[in-house]
Amino acid sequence: MSPSTATPATQWRIVLLVVGAGIVAAFQIGKVPAALPVLRAELGIDLVTAGWILSIFNVVGAAIGILAGATADKLGHRRLVLFGLWAVAIGSALGGLAPGVTTLLLSRFLAGFGFITIIVAAPGLIVRSARPEDMGMAFGFWGTYMPLGTAAMIVASPTLIAALGWRGLWEINAGLVAAYAIALAAATRNLGGRPPPDTAGPRHLARDIRTTLFAPGPLLLTLCFMTYTSNFIAVMGFLPTFLVETRGMGAGLAASITALAVVVNAAGNLTAGWLLRHGVRRSLLITVASATMAVTAIGIYSEAVPDGARVVLCIVFSVVGGLLPASILGATADFTPRPALIGTTNGLVMQGSNIGQMMGPPIAGALVAATGTWSAAPIPVVFSAAVGIVLALMIGRLKPPMHS
């Protein structure tokens, strides 16, 4: 291969900056669990409504994930990432000024709109910045955005709430995201790139969405990721509330335990990337992750389990569960119907992710409220994990399309 045709070196600086955009977006998920007890007390919120505060953030993603991904493919991934960061910043700023629950939910809806545009567009920047042989490692890093961002804000939230209140926490997040948007725009100003004019029309957009929707690979990946996110956010989102209300822990300790459990998920993502690179089957990793999450969830909510062992189970739930998202996200480039549809494919997968996050907490909260006991919380987790195992077996039998 001549120097003129050699594959450019991976732009790791761009990859890590894109991961950072995902992390600051995930701050908006991490700030809520530790704030829920304060929100419930100040605004008179019941458990089911608290579940919607956790999950309303994902409603837009659940509705238009694939459309956002297809739009990113047409208008440019960098442009959509920057747009999403500003939407998140504005949503968080408005939430800090909310006089009641309705306005707070609407502000979370706007932040969710920004979040989904970031998450579906960012992988397109990674694909453009990484060599094929580095793609697995690059997406391994990308898979850490959720646990790292969520855990960092869970750790910081109790101190910030104590000093500034939950409204101050919302406003600080708005400032952080806005500052990151400015920095990312400056650092990537030469990345640019416009879509070819013959693919920018709405007719082509609808065609790309239809092509992706009817491809078996993206659909199976989407459904499988849905089972994971539903389980993960239902358990981790309510964990601080569960530990405070039933185990008598202080808010700071409960938040720290939750943050530890969330952050180790990043280790699971990186481990999955390493295992996949060394030939371990994707379907096996998904099966192990799903089964482990089901079993550990039962123990987490069991009255018979000592609190020390309960913490260990939370960590195992998260770190082994982390094998699944890296396995799914790393497969989107392989299973996309065409290389030009990477954003559309990722948008569909993220749509499934957001549907899972939207459904998980309200279902768990409703079961706990209806039965009067937290021991009912693992029921949807076990069911969803069983579905995930079936989907994993189907993914294992599917061959990726041949891309020219």
Side-chain angles (χ1 to χ4, degrees):
M1 180 178 289
S2 66
S4 61
T5 59
T7 303
T10 295
Q11 301 179 66
W12 287 111
R13 181 178 68 91
I14 299 300
V15 171
L16 294 178
L17 281 170
V18 171
V19 173
I23 289 174
V24 298
F27 283 174
Q28 315 317 307
I29 297 174
K31 71 185 182 184
V32 176
L36 273 183
V38 179
L39 285 169
R40 292 185 67 194
E42 181 176 327
L43 302 179
I45 298 171
D46 61 29
L47 197 60
V48 175
T49 304
W52 281 110
I53 290 175
L54 281 167
S55 61
I56 196 69
F57 190 77
N58 308 106
V59 168
V60 174
I64 64 163
I66 190 170
L67 178 60
T71 302
D73 284 335
K74 305 306 181 196
L75 300 183
H77 302 108
R78 174 180 179 271
R79 185 177 301 166
L80 265 291
V81 170
L82 294 174
F83 170 82
L85 286 168
W86 282 110
V88 169
I90 294 170
S92 187
L94 292 176
L97 302 174
V101 176
T102 300
T103 307
L104 181 61
L105 288 173
L106 289 174
S107 72
R108 293 285 289 170
F109 188 90
L110 175 60
F113 186 85
F115 180 83
I116 192 62
T117 62
I118 295 167
I119 301 311
V120 303
L125 294 179
I126 293 175
V127 169
R128 289 168 54 193
S129 302
R131 297 186 301 172
E133 53 266 41
D134 292 331
M135 203 70 71
M137 181 64 69
F139 274 97
F141 283 123
W142 172 245
T144 67
Y145 79 86
M146 183 70 81
L148 291 181
T150 304
M153 193 49 59
I154 288 175
V155 170
S157 291
T159 300
L160 293 173
I161 291 171
L164 303 171
W166 71 267
R167 296 181 187 276
L169 174 64
W170 259 240
E171 300 302 342
I172 284 179
N173 270 271
L176 286 172
V177 178
Y180 199 91
I182 294 170
L184 184 65
T188 60
R189 62 184 178 275
N190 294 324
L191 195 60
R194 292 194 176 194
D198 63 340
T199 64
R203 181 170 59 86
H204 295 93
L205 193 75
R207 178 201 62 193
D208 290 348
I209 291 174
R210 184 171 59 251
T211 298
T212 305
L213 277 172
F214 285 96
L219 183 59
L220 289 175
L221 294 176
T222 298
L223 294 174
C224 194
F225 206 18
M226 188 189 307
T227 67
Y228 166 81
T229 56
S230 173
N231 289 344
F232 190 85
I233 195 66
V235 173
M236 293 300 160
F238 277 129
L239 188 58
T241 300
F242 169 73
L243 294 176
V244 169
E245 293 186 357
T246 71
R247 312 311 301 172
M249 294 186 184
L253 177 59
S256 297
I257 291 173
T258 304
L260 174 62
V262 170
V263 77
V264 296
N265 186 261
N269 277 271
L270 294 174
T271 300
W274 185 86
L275 291 172
L276 289 167
R277 188 174 183 182
H278 287 78
V280 178
R281 288 180 294 115
R282 194 181 312 276
S283 58
L284 176 61
L285 295 180
I286 296 171
T287 298
V288 170
S290 298
T292 301
M293 292 176 79
V295 172
T296 52
I298 295 172
I300 288 169
Y301 291 106
S302 172
E303 289 287 340
V305 174
D307 285 342
R310 196 184 314 276
V311 172
V312 172
L313 288 173
C314 291
I315 293 172
V316 174
F317 173 93
S318 182
V319 71
V320 179
L323 298 175
L324 192 150
S327 298
I328 297 295
L329 294 174
T332 55
D334 291 333
F335 283 97
T336 185
R338 298 195 308 273
L341 299 184
I342 179 64
T344 311
T345 301
N346 196 67
L348 179 61
V349 172
M350 289 299 105
Q351 189 158 349
S353 169
N354 279 269
I355 291 172
Q357 293 181 66
M358 184 180 68
M359 293 173 59
I363 291 174
L367 276 173
V368 172
T371 61
T373 174
W374 282 93
S375 61
I379 294 174
V381 177
V382 173
F383 175 79
S384 187
V387 174
I389 291 172
V390 173
L391 293 169
L393 298 176
M394 296 174 69
I395 291 171
R397 292 170 176 249
L398 193 66
K399 291 185 178 181
M402 297 297 293
H403 297 146
S404 57

